Amino acid sequence: MVPPNLLMFITFHYHRMQLMEKGDVENQTDITEFILLGFGDLPELQILLFLVFLVIYIVTMAGNILIIALVVTDQHLHTPMYFFLGNLSCLETCYTSAVLPRMLASFLTGDRTISVGGCMTQFFFFCFLATTECYLLAAMSYDRYLAICKPLHYGTCMNGKLCLQLAAGCWIIGVLPCTITMCFMSQLIFCGPNEMDHFFCDVTPILKLSCSDTSQMMLVLHIFFFPDAVSPFLLTLTSYVCIVSTILRIPSTTGRQRAFSTCSSHLIVVTLFYGTIMIVYMLPKSSNLRALNKVFSVCYTVLTPLANPLVYSLRNREVNEALRKAVRKYLALPKNAD
């Protein structure tokens, strides 16, 4: 059996020999780092952008960590809906940390270089966490579907075992396709240019810089596109179609408002996440729309993790009550100590 490292070495040099025969990489050296252009075309705004994104990062991390702490410590939040919310908040802290720290460093130092290995690592975590979020949002929508459309069976259907299975399944399904994708991406050859017109390592700009054959990579991406993106989106959409139709059949206005309030926060997060992703990946890849592409990329990589704690804390009575109890308990500690 051929060792995996030896197989990758042979494959790498096989592709390189093919390219050299065509004269594509003659007199060129392998690229060891990329330059993330990001928002470098706005030099006069670098400090302002640094401060804005720094505040967003601090608020995002603090808000999501606070939600995790409340879900873990408050007994009233030990329900399936808040179990999934805690998973989502944990995911968002990792998701935003995969992109923002590197971007903040480039604003502060002006160094926009990233090694090829670092770029691949960033893409892996971005891919893994984005895929996991798609499935986690679908699991949360299924939970709301059972709570609103099947209230009499909710307690027996959405038990602790099923919650654990759904959450674990979301994380496992998220990591598997991205690991396979990275196996193919690690075989790509980069021989110049090395400027990436983006603020993080996404699949499209990476493939654009590769000077090797990307047909296998594109085939893998198309194979995983339906199970990783379309399937969870359709599950989420179907759940909300059933939820809305059930809510509209509730006779009283108060009942409709109460039912809608249990899923409105999640619906806002879903709309923001999927809406911006669809715009980014369905926009024509023309040079005139690059700036717009970056703006919408900021929405689903930076603003969605920020929206999660803000939306759930501002619009959720149980979370607000748990937060007030935690603050009262914290303020009472010095008095008890005396």
Side-chain angles (χ1 to χ4, degrees):
M1 182 176 179
V2 181
N5 291 338
L6 179 59
L7 183 61
M8 289 180 62
F9 177 82
I10 295 172
T11 305
F12 175 87
H13 285 280
Y14 171 73
H15 285 299
R16 184 163 179 82
M17 288 175 64
Q18 284 186 318
L19 291 168
M20 291 184 68
E21 288 177 0
K22 299 177 182 178
D24 292 338
V25 294
E26 190 175 0
N27 299 325
Q28 294 183 350
T29 58
D30 293 334
I31 296 298
T32 59
E33 63 182 20
F34 297 126
I35 299 175
L36 293 171
L37 298 181
F39 300 97
D41 55 342
L42 303 170
E44 68 281 0
L45 298 178
Q46 296 301 292
I47 299 299
L48 177 61
L49 289 173
F50 170 77
L51 294 174
V52 170
F53 283 110
L54 178 63
V55 171
I56 290 175
Y57 184 57
I58 293 173
V59 173
T60 300
M61 295 295 290
N64 282 293
I65 292 173
L66 179 60
I67 287 181
I68 296 171
L70 291 175
V71 170
V72 170
T73 58
D74 196 295
Q75 293 291 330
H76 295 92
L77 300 183
H78 290 182
T79 62
M81 183 175 76
Y82 295 108
F83 172 75
F84 290 121
L85 176 59
N87 272 268
L88 181 63
S89 295
C90 181
L91 184 145
E92 299 289 26
T93 58
C94 301
Y95 188 56
T96 191
S97 296
V99 176
L100 268 179
R102 180 66 193 82
M103 186 164 65
L104 289 172
S106 68
F107 284 138
L108 192 61
T109 64
D111 181 15
R112 298 195 294 274
T113 61
I114 183 172
S115 66
V116 173
C119 189
M120 295 297 180
T121 303
Q122 185 185 57
F123 170 72
F124 171 78
F125 282 105
F126 165 75
C127 173
F128 158 50
L129 294 168
T131 305
T132 303
E133 181 159 1
C134 289
Y135 279 97
L136 196 54
L137 291 175
M140 294 175 74
S141 66
Y142 177 66
D143 170 70
R144 291 300 84 205
Y145 161 76
L146 289 178
I148 295 174
C149 302
K150 309 285 184 182
L152 297 179
H153 304 285
Y154 179 72
T156 55
C157 292
M158 191 57 71
N159 52 45
K161 182 179 179 181
L162 180 60
C163 290
L164 287 173
Q165 289 174 342
L166 286 174
C170 291
W171 290 94
I172 293 172
I173 294 174
V175 74
L176 287 178
C178 295
T179 302
I180 296 172
T181 301
M182 285 305 301
C183 290
F184 284 89
M185 187 171 282
S186 64
Q187 299 177 20
L188 296 179
I189 301 170
F190 302 96
C191 48
N194 68 337
E195 291 185 345
M196 190 178 296
D197 192 14
H198 215 335
F199 59 89
F200 74 101
C201 294
D202 201 359
V203 61
T204 303
I206 290 176
L207 294 181
K208 189 179 294 185
L209 293 181
S210 175
C211 54
S212 57
D213 183 14
T214 59
S215 58
Q216 286 187 338
M217 185 68 201
M218 293 301 297
L219 178 61
V220 170
L221 292 174
H222 283 102
I223 289 173
F224 286 129
F225 176 72
F226 185 83
D228 288 349
V230 178
S231 293
F233 171 72
L234 291 178
L235 289 171
T236 304
L237 183 62
T238 303
S239 297
Y240 272 103
V241 168
C242 296
I243 289 171
V244 171
S245 63
T246 301
I247 291 176
L248 292 177
R249 289 198 299 268
I250 298 175
S252 66
T253 304
T254 305
R256 287 196 296 269
Q257 290 176 346
R258 187 180 297 113
F260 185 73
S261 66
T262 64
C263 60
S264 58
S265 299
H266 179 247
L267 185 58
I268 292 172
V269 173
V270 167
T271 303
L272 179 61
F273 179 74
Y274 277 113
T276 52
I277 279 186
M278 286 181 180
I279 292 173
V280 167
Y281 290 103
M282 293 179 70
L283 274 177
K285 307 303 178 186
S286 64
S287 56
N288 297 329
L289 296 176
R290 284 178 184 171
L292 191 62
N293 187 291
K294 289 181 188 178
V295 171
F296 284 110
S297 295
V298 167
C299 289
Y300 76 83
T301 57
V302 177
L303 297 186
T304 299
L306 173 66
N308 178 42
L310 292 180
V311 168
Y312 278 101
S313 61
L314 294 176
R315 298 179 58 87
N316 193 289
R317 182 174 57 84
E318 287 85 358
V319 173
N320 281 325
E321 182 61 29
L323 181 59
R324 281 193 291 267
K325 285 169 58 179
V327 171
R328 286 196 297 266
K329 185 177 180 180
Y330 176 78
L331 294 176
L333 287 177
K335 296 180 182 179
N336 294 335
D338 294 337

